Amino acid sequence: MKMIEEYVNKVYQHVKGDEKEIQELKEEMKTHLIEAVHELKVEGKTEKEAFHIAIERFGGESELRSVVSELFKIQKVFAARVLYAGIAIFLLSAGVFGYFLPIGNERVEERSTISHEIADMVEADPEVLDETKSKVDSLLIAAPYIKHVNVYLNGDMEDPVYEMDQGNNQTLPLIYSSYGSGSGSGNSFVRMTILDYRDIGILSLFFGVTCFGVLFIIWLIINLYHRRKSY
């Protein structure tokens, strides 16, 4: 029908987007309008009356034009936002990684120094008297990232002569690491569990890369779909 053809062309006149997809939508709209007009004519309406009633049921030319334009705009905006979100998450995770990695490296060196100091103090005082215990406690309190410490003497790894727990609540075990080191003479051994800032950075980076990968694939699928429809 010529009236329907002209009406559909008007609705899509200023719509920007994939040409093949627009053509498919136009054909679909024509089909629905033709069916609606045919049903109304069967009910006794003239062709002109049936056309206007069918248009009203669809919402009118201006409303339809607005809806169609908005639809294509939403598709483009959604694809762009998916990609931007992926880039933002990746950059944020890279920033977290860059922030925590040097802190973690510094803590490892500090932890090694503290561990050797504790080993030497306990070896010098195998009974771990109050004075020695106080000194060890002070070292550990100044390093709250050290969450748990056991000190052993003379190869007895079952019964620690000193033990301290600074809230070793490992709700996320991946960010905790265990280290062991001994004194210069090898008679004492210190085992520590620390909150490893390097692992936090690595997990953050892994999360960022994963999110970016997933969102990039979604963006790529959307764009490939529209590109394929254009051929």
Side-chain angles (χ1 to χ4, degrees), residues 51-68:
F51 173 73
H52 287 297
I53 292 170
I55 295 302
E56 287 176 7
R57 289 180 179 177
F58 267 76
E61 181 181 330
S62 59
E63 186 177 342
L64 271 175
R65 189 178 297 171
S66 174
V67 169
V68 170

Side-chain angles (χ1 to χ4, degrees), residues 13-203:
Q13 187 175 4
H14 300 294
V15 173
K16 296 179 181 179
D18 180 83
E19 290 296 330
K20 187 171 182 180
E21 187 171 3
I22 290 173
Q23 190 58 40
E24 288 178 357
L25 291 171
K26 286 169 70 174
E27 292 299 326
E28 187 177 349
M29 182 179 285
K30 286 180 194 176
T31 300
H32 287 307
L33 284 170
I34 289 170
E35 290 175 354
V37 169
H38 177 72
E39 290 174 2
L40 289 165
K41 287 172 69 176
V42 170
E43 293 175 5
K45 301 289 189 299
T46 66
E47 184 171 309
K48 192 171 183 180
E49 289 174 334
F51 173 73
H52 287 297
I53 292 170
I55 295 302
E56 287 176 7
R57 289 180 179 177
F58 267 76
E61 181 181 330
S62 59
E63 186 177 342
L64 271 175
R65 189 178 297 171
S66 174
V67 169
V68 170
S69 298
E70 191 65 26
L71 175 64
F72 280 91
K73 188 185 296 183
I74 288 172
Q75 289 178 346
K76 290 180 179 179
V77 169
F78 174 75
R81 286 182 177 176
V82 164
L83 182 61
Y84 294 154
I87 293 172
I89 292 172
F90 171 74
L91 291 176
L92 180 62
S93 67
V96 172
F97 174 77
Y99 174 76
F100 279 111
L101 186 64
I103 294 176
N105 290 334
E106 182 182 331
R107 293 290 186 265
V108 168
E109 293 178 10
E110 187 178 85
R111 184 272 316 163
S112 179
T113 300
I114 292 172
S115 179
H116 283 96
E117 286 183 25
I118 292 173
D120 290 339
M121 282 191 285
V122 171
E123 187 172 341
D125 179 15
E127 299 297 325
V128 191
L129 300 176
D130 289 343
E131 183 180 356
T132 300
K133 186 176 183 302
S134 179
K135 289 180 181 179
V136 175
D137 288 347
S138 296
L139 281 173
L140 296 175
I141 290 170
Y145 62 91
I146 299 176
K147 296 300 181 181
H148 189 82
V149 176
N150 283 342
V151 184
Y152 306 93
L153 280 174
N154 303 319
D156 183 1
M157 304 299 289
E158 299 295 329
D159 187 19
V161 296
Y162 174 88
E163 185 174 8
M164 185 177 187
D165 195 317
Q166 297 196 105
N168 184 25
N169 181 20
Q170 294 190 24
T171 52
L172 188 58
L174 288 175
I175 64 174
Y176 292 88
S177 298
S178 293
Y179 295 93
S181 61
S183 64
S185 64
N187 292 327
S188 60
F189 185 83
V190 179
R191 181 168 295 281
M192 291 181 172
T193 298
I194 71 168
L195 178 62
D196 198 327
Y197 288 83
R198 295 174 305 175
D199 288 344
I200 296 174
I202 291 169
L203 285 173

Side-chain angles (χ1 to χ4, degrees), residues 5 78 139 212 215 230:
E5 182 84 24
F78 174 75
L139 281 173
F212 173 76
L215 293 174
S230 65

